[in-house]
Amino acid sequence: MKELVVFTMKSCPFCQIMKDKLNEQQIQYIDMDIEEHDEEYKMFMELVEGNEFVPALMVIDEDNTDQRITPMAPDRDYKTIEEGIEKVKNLL
């Protein structure tokens, strides 16, 4: 089973654009506001070596025996929202 987590902030216009585009493409995701999910976001930042930009994406691929996490941080793993969505589609 694969899940998409999107780390966002309420005041971030790019986060809203990302969520709107994911909704348009009917891509399901878990929205995690970084102020409400501080511990999860800290774990994500460790995976991306301190990149604190949002919207940040994480694909979790879990089966009965293994869990693989693919973190994607803006300006590190994708430059535009559209590029981030294309990468997500390839992973889901």
Side-chain angles (χ1 to χ4, degrees):
M1 181 173 123
K2 295 181 182 182
E3 291 185 315
L4 171 63
V5 175
V6 181
F7 290 102
T8 63
M9 287 177 57
K10 287 181 182 75
S11 62
C12 169
F14 299 108
C15 297
Q16 188 59 54
I17 293 168
M18 175 67 82
K19 292 188 290 186
D20 289 345
K21 297 230 180 244
L22 288 167
N23 289 331
E24 285 171 17
Q25 304 238 353
Q26 298 181 346
I27 299 172
Q28 294 185 354
Y29 60 92
I30 299 165
D31 183 6
M32 290 197 142
D33 184 288
I34 63 172
E35 293 171 357
E36 296 170 13
H37 298 277
D38 186 53
E39 289 303 311
E40 292 90 342
Y41 189 58
K42 284 179 184 175
M43 179 199 74
F44 175 84
M45 284 195 310
E46 287 177 20
L47 293 172
V48 295
E49 300 167 351
N51 183 315
E52 294 185 30
F53 298 114
V54 290
L57 309 168
M58 183 168 62
V59 175
I60 302 169
D61 184 359
E62 203 168 353
D63 61 30
N64 291 336
T65 59
D66 196 19
Q67 181 183 62
R68 291 171 297 286
I69 296 174
T70 304
M72 291 185 284
D75 290 339
R76 185 192 90 146
D77 300 301
Y78 64 94
K79 301 295 181 199
T80 66
I81 288 172
E82 290 77 13
E83 181 185 0
I85 289 173
E86 285 305 311
K87 287 187 173 198
V88 163
K89 285 164 108 180
N90 290 329
L91 290 169
L92 292 177

